[in-house]
Amino acid sequence: MTLPIPDTEAITAAVNTAHQAMLQVDGGKNADYIPYLASVPSGLAALAVVTREGTVVEAGDSRFAFAIESISKVATLALIMETIGRDALREKVGSDPTGLPFNSVMALELAQGKPMSPLVNAGAIATASLVEGATADARWDKILDMQSRLAGRPLSLSDEVNQSEQTTNFHNRAIAWLLYSAGTCYSDPMEALDIYTRQCSTLLDTVDLATMGATFANGGVNPKTGERVVSKDNVPPILAEMMMEGLYTFSGDFAYIVGLPGKSGVGGGMLAVAPGKLAIAAFAPPLDEAGNSVRALAGISAVAKSLNLDLFSA
Ligand code: GLN
């Protein structure tokens, strides 16, 4: 079924108005448990839409490159789903919301070491442990390649972000060892953690992020490059997972308010996908308690509302 895409004038008006609205919203605070993130200017604000046909509409600091952080979990999820299939992934990692913060150890304990979702840290480390390759670098190349193909251009690791994370990721190290002891880390745990940490440390801008989302909105074909990146059958379970756990403890609220599958990262990025139509991406560093960008949420909600994108409205 081919769904009608809102026309470009309507998208442009929605993006410009929503970007102005973002700037009126205050509150939140840059993540500071990763030192690099605390140093990003808090006043940056960007919004972009990319349609399934590849039309780009952008406003604000949309070419500022920021750390992908947790949004990378979607790319690694896609990579592993393509490699081992959706059933094996669901069995090994899970597909349910945890209802707990993204780095919760308690969630892991409550589920006897099953991470539940590839979109929380435990599940993302387990998913990274499933990437095949003879060395950590070979496995990392596959993750970076998937991120790049989704974005439609070669992305790269920021040594600065990676350094900042690798030297402070003690909590995630504990999670990796807990997974390993429960039999749910499928490679050496410190190697899985290393590539997970690298996957969080690539830089992309808001248009790249919207292009990633547009690839899912377009059934797995990147509208910018024309490449099939994800098989058509794997797109719905990826989006379902985003709807269930993409914004951590705010995922239910996001479904209620916006009605679209989404994903956020502690770098301040946020993505929402309107299947068959377009993707909306936003960036602004200050985060709320759950780890979601306050201004990005405002911008994405406003665009989704003015273009009537809520999936649950008839
Ligand atoms: N690299 C971050 C971490 O592992 C990503 C978390 C996030 O964006 N929610 O803690």
Side-chain angles (χ1 to χ4, degrees):
M1 181 175 61
T2 307
L3 297 172
I5 304 172
D7 61 50
T8 307
E9 292 73 51
I11 297 174
T12 305
V15 166
N16 288 333
T17 309
H19 178 252
Q20 288 307 314
M22 280 173 83
L23 299 176
Q24 305 308 312
V25 178
D26 287 322
K29 191 170 155 304
N30 285 36
D32 57 8
Y33 74 101
I34 298 167
Y36 172 89
L37 299 179
S39 71
V40 179
S42 304
L44 292 165
L47 194 55
V49 163
V50 175
T51 71
R52 71 162 152 76
E53 290 176 340
T55 303
V56 179
V57 177
E58 57 191 297
D61 304 302
S62 48
R63 303 289 167 147
F64 179 88
F66 58 90
I68 187 170
E69 297 300 341
S70 262
I71 305 167
S72 68
K73 291 167 178 162
V74 178
T76 309
L77 160 61
L79 173 65
I80 296 305
M81 206 179 269
E82 291 292 302
T83 317
I84 68 171
R86 55 198 275 182
D87 294 337
L89 178 67
R90 187 163 168 231
E91 191 227 303
K92 287 180 185 303
V93 180
S95 57
D96 274 317
T98 65
L100 287 163
F102 62 80
N103 58 358
S104 176
V105 168
M106 189 162 70
L108 204 51
E109 294 289 286
L110 288 172
Q112 288 81 42
K114 186 165 181 180
M116 309 290 286
S117 165
L119 299 185
V120 294
N121 289 14
I125 295 166
T127 307
S129 80
L130 289 162
V131 179
E132 288 162 3
T135 60
D137 284 345
R139 303 163 91 199
W140 160 242
D141 286 347
K142 287 189 183 162
I143 292 178
L144 183 61
D145 180 63
M146 176 53 90
Q147 289 188 10
S148 299
R149 289 193 291 139
L150 286 168
R153 76 173 180 94
L155 300 182
S156 51
L157 182 76
S158 159
D159 290 330
E160 194 186 354
V161 180
N162 189 40
Q163 229 359 64
S164 188
E165 300 219 17
Q166 298 275 8
T167 51
T168 54
N169 62 358
F170 310 114
H171 191 92
N172 285 340
R173 283 185 217 181
I175 290 175
W177 280 115
L178 279 175
L179 288 168
Y180 189 67
S181 74
T184 46
C185 188
Y186 304 97
S187 72
D188 175 87
M190 290 303 99
E191 191 178 309
L193 179 68
D194 172 26
I195 60 173
Y196 163 76
T197 307
R198 291 196 229 180
Q199 80 176 33
C200 293
S201 305
T202 54
L203 296 179
L204 81 181
D205 66 30
T206 308
V207 174
D208 295 325
L209 184 56
T211 308
M212 282 186 161
T215 303
F216 292 108
N218 194 32
V221 175
N222 186 315
K224 183 174 166 189
T225 61
E227 184 194 353
R228 170 158 297 285
V229 182
V230 180
S231 60
K232 200 170 172 21
D233 286 352
N234 282 340
V235 172
I238 292 168
L239 295 180
E241 195 53 43
M242 288 167 66
M243 184 69 104
M244 292 291 115
E245 186 60 85
L247 278 88
Y248 315 113
T249 48
F250 197 75
S251 302
D253 301 82
F254 192 77
Y256 193 111
I257 299 167
V258 182
L260 295 173
K263 186 73 202 83
S264 62
V266 291
M270 188 180 288
L271 175 65
V273 178
K277 295 182 180 171
L278 52 81
I280 316 163
F283 162 68
L287 309 179
D288 62 18
E289 290 290 308
N292 297 312
S293 166
V294 175
R295 284 182 159 177
L297 174 66
I300 286 180
S301 324
V303 173
K305 196 165 188 199
S306 63
L307 298 177
N308 288 316
L309 297 173
D310 189 325
L311 283 177
F312 303 113
S313 92

